[in-house]
Amino acid sequence: MKRLMLKDIKLGEVNKVAGFVENIRNKKAMCFIVLRDISGKLQLTIEKEKHPEMTDILDQITVDTVIEATGLILESEYVKLNHMEMYPDHIQIESIAAPSPIVAPKGEETNIDLRLDYRWIDLRTDKNTLMFKVQSYFIAKCREFLVDRDFIEIHSPKLIAAESESGAGVFRVDYFDGNAYLAQSPQFYKQMAMAAGFERIFESGPVFRAEKFASRKHATEFTGFDLEFSYIESYEDVMKMEEEMLTYALEAVSKKYGQAIKEVYNLDFNVPTLPFPRMDLQEVYLELEKRYGYQVPESEKGDLTTEGERLCQRLSLDMYGHEFLFITGYSKETRAFYHMRDEKGIPCGYDLIWKGCEITTGAQREHRYEILKKQAEEKGLEKDVEFYLDFFKYGCPPHGGFGIGVDRITMLIFNQGIKDAMFIFRGPDRLNP
């Protein structure tokens, strides 16, 4: 008989199921087991008098032991768990579990770093299972949105020959008789695809940052979701593409998992309305000072400060009743050399803030070779990015794009720290498991 996932079991029939033991109550006459797999849970009820051959097996079963069971499944008004139970005729132990090393005293939560040491055990909870189902579905819906609009999915290299962008925060690795670097982003290769005439591309993959941050939102390796597309008229086209994609994906998540998020996390899932509000950076600082007394030195007003970013959650809700906020008007000193600049020298780009956290940097790119070369020279990068500049020598359409931090999206949906929101966290002090 073929094993069925618990979501597919058939009432009134003999089924074969398998999974982890979530709970076991092994009494003198009866044994009750709660079995779980990735799709659901089921109570197994064993009357020992009818199955004396199971006694030794039941005595070996511990929490998190993996078992296989075959038996009749019937409805039961006395069973709270889905009002059904299995009466097994056969139970087989696949793997006996030792006592968990991350069980905290009742009412307490295990330290996050200890949980990360045993991440594979930590991931077995209902909260984590739901989190990564939602993350997977969110990415699938972003992908669906883009494929329906003729985007091509690419997979760019993560080993690169030059220290991309500024050279700061890059991991250097031995590469045969020389050095290579782990890519900070797929940015250069996304733009190469524009020069290749692909017109619309996206990618989801790892991003590496050799930066010693110790915050709720930073990691040295994370998953990025990037896209680029051609023949735009301004970076407004890029913002419009992003807000529509995010709304599409988050609405789908809400329909499928909104109720589960409410039940498991006690959080309301709000689908954003279109369009997202937009503000110039200097306007943001004026409003933050006027409304909340937050002042920033003139020398720091070319970029959004960490505290300013945090306050944007309150500002966007107070001014627009919206959780998302596009911020434009950053100084050229704080933006990458490849951002197009307007007639006043202001980069044609933006950050997207959600719940007081930056989730995106996007822009219209500079596609004209001579101007791009000059902007690279201004930042002392012309030698480092020679290979990249070559992409624009032979014709390239106007284009723009953005990158989203998938783990930050997950973190914000579930109101968690980045360590909880990643399948496996990587930081300055964390390389295992």
Side-chain angles (χ1 to χ4, degrees), residues 137-152 200-202 225 227 229 237-252 274 402 404:
Y137 194 64
F138 171 80
I139 292 297
K141 286 300 173 178
C142 288
R143 181 177 279 111
E144 179 180 274
F145 175 90
L146 296 174
V147 169
D148 287 348
R149 286 156 182 78
D150 300 319
F151 278 72
I152 298 169
R200 294 180 162 219
I201 63 93
F202 71 97
F225 190 94
L227 65 83
F229 60 110
D237 295 335
V238 182
M239 289 192 287
K240 188 171 186 294
M241 181 69 76
E242 180 168 15
E243 66 187 5
E244 290 179 354
M245 183 189 78
L246 285 174
T247 300
Y248 179 88
L250 292 173
E251 184 173 28
L274 292 170
F402 59 84
I404 294 175

Side-chain angles (χ1 to χ4, degrees), residues 226-358:
D226 287 76
L227 65 83
E228 205 80 15
F229 60 110
S230 293
Y231 301 105
I232 66 172
E233 294 181 4
S234 78
Y235 65 98
E236 179 63 40
D237 295 335
V238 182
M239 289 192 287
K240 188 171 186 294
M241 181 69 76
E242 180 168 15
E243 66 187 5
E244 290 179 354
M245 183 189 78
L246 285 174
T247 300
Y248 179 88
L250 292 173
E251 184 173 28
V253 167
S254 178
K255 286 179 180 177
K256 184 163 185 172
Y257 291 110
Q259 185 59 36
I261 292 170
K262 178 67 175 176
E263 291 172 0
V264 176
Y265 281 85
N266 195 28
L267 294 172
D268 293 317
F269 192 93
N270 299 315
V271 178
T273 56
L274 292 170
F276 294 2
R278 287 123 162 92
M279 292 182 73
D280 180 85
L281 180 59
Q282 300 315 310
E283 181 189 1
V284 168
Y285 280 133
L286 285 172
E287 290 293 338
L288 290 180
E289 182 174 355
K290 183 173 72 174
R291 291 168 181 267
Y292 317 122
Y294 178 65
Q295 294 181 305
V296 178
E298 285 297 324
S299 60
E300 295 183 35
K301 286 190 174 179
D303 201 359
L304 186 61
T305 64
T306 300
E307 180 63 11
E309 181 180 313
R310 187 187 67 80
L311 285 169
C312 280
Q313 176 177 16
R314 185 177 171 189
L315 180 67
S316 188
L317 287 170
D318 286 350
M319 291 186 67
Y320 305 105
H322 210 286
E323 292 182 348
F324 288 84
L325 180 65
F326 283 121
I327 300 178
T328 62
Y330 291 83
S331 71
K332 65 182 181 182
E333 289 78 19
T334 65
R335 299 282 101 168
F337 75 92
Y338 50 77
H339 286 201
M340 183 179 281
R341 300 172 189 171
D342 65 17
E343 62 279 359
K344 295 179 181 179
I346 297 173
C348 300
Y350 66 89
D351 281 351
L352 178 57
I353 313 298
W354 185 27
K355 298 181 180 179
C357 180
E358 176 209 325

Side-chain angles (χ1 to χ4, degrees), residues 24-310:
I24 179 168
R25 288 182 293 142
N26 194 6
K27 307 292 185 181
K28 184 177 180 179
M30 302 286 291
C31 183
F32 302 96
I33 295 171
V34 175
L35 187 73
R36 75 168 186 280
D37 68 13
I38 193 64
S39 69
K41 300 178 184 182
L42 177 67
Q43 177 173 302
L44 278 55
T45 301
I46 303 100
E47 298 178 48
K48 291 185 174 182
E49 187 177 341
K50 291 183 178 179
H51 295 283
E53 76 282 1
M54 290 189 190
T55 300
D56 289 342
I57 293 173
L58 296 175
D59 288 343
Q60 296 178 61
I61 294 175
T62 58
V63 171
D64 280 346
T65 288
V66 178
I67 65 171
E68 179 183 279
T70 304
L72 181 66
I73 296 179
L74 296 175
E75 281 188 284
S76 174
E77 61 180 297
Y78 303 106
V79 177
K80 291 182 179 179
L81 183 59
N82 301 319
H83 300 293
M84 65 175 72
E85 58 189 332
M86 170 184 273
Y87 295 92
D89 296 315
H90 173 77
I91 292 178
Q92 178 177 313
I93 294 175
E94 301 290 357
S95 174
I96 296 175
S100 173
I102 60 172
V103 174
K106 194 170 183 179
E108 296 182 24
E109 187 169 313
T110 308
N111 175 275
I112 178 62
D113 290 311
L114 178 61
R115 287 192 285 115
L116 290 181
D117 288 341
Y118 296 92
R119 184 60 166 161
W120 64 96
I121 302 174
D122 185 43
L123 287 169
R124 293 173 184 172
T125 65
D126 290 341
K127 283 190 168 186
N128 281 323
T129 300
L130 176 61
M131 186 184 298
F132 290 99
K133 282 182 177 181
V134 168
Q135 184 185 88
S136 175
Y137 194 64
F138 171 80
I139 292 297
K141 286 300 173 178
C142 288
R143 181 177 279 111
E144 179 180 274
F145 175 90
L146 296 174
V147 169
D148 287 348
R149 286 156 182 78
D150 300 319
F151 278 72
I152 298 169
E153 184 169 8
I154 65 168
H155 304 282
S156 63
K158 305 309 169 199
L159 283 170
I160 57 177
E163 298 182 26
S164 61
E165 301 190 26
S166 66
V170 180
F171 288 109
R172 183 172 63 186
V173 297
D174 292 334
Y175 195 74
F176 300 105
D177 295 326
N179 292 319
Y181 304 89
L182 297 179
Q184 285 180 305
S185 81
Q187 184 58 46
F188 291 170
Y189 294 104
K190 290 194 301 174
Q191 292 186 258
M192 189 189 80
M194 299 300 96
F198 278 25
E199 294 199 14
R200 294 180 162 219
I201 63 93
F202 71 97
E203 172 173 4
S204 182
V207 176
F208 301 90
R209 300 284 167 89
E211 297 166 340
K212 287 195 173 183
F213 287 112
S215 78
R216 179 175 179 264
K217 64 181 183 179
H218 286 99
T220 53
E221 179 184 353
F222 57 91
T223 301
F225 190 94
D226 287 76
L227 65 83
E228 205 80 15
F229 60 110
S230 293
Y231 301 105
I232 66 172
E233 294 181 4
S234 78
Y235 65 98
E236 179 63 40
D237 295 335
V238 182
M239 289 192 287
K240 188 171 186 294
M241 181 69 76
E242 180 168 15
E243 66 187 5
E244 290 179 354
M245 183 189 78
L246 285 174
T247 300
Y248 179 88
L250 292 173
E251 184 173 28
V253 167
S254 178
K255 286 179 180 177
K256 184 163 185 172
Y257 291 110
Q259 185 59 36
I261 292 170
K262 178 67 175 176
E263 291 172 0
V264 176
Y265 281 85
N266 195 28
L267 294 172
D268 293 317
F269 192 93
N270 299 315
V271 178
T273 56
L274 292 170
F276 294 2
R278 287 123 162 92
M279 292 182 73
D280 180 85
L281 180 59
Q282 300 315 310
E283 181 189 1
V284 168
Y285 280 133
L286 285 172
E287 290 293 338
L288 290 180
E289 182 174 355
K290 183 173 72 174
R291 291 168 181 267
Y292 317 122
Y294 178 65
Q295 294 181 305
V296 178
E298 285 297 324
S299 60
E300 295 183 35
K301 286 190 174 179
D303 201 359
L304 186 61
T305 64
T306 300
E307 180 63 11
E309 181 180 313
R310 187 187 67 80

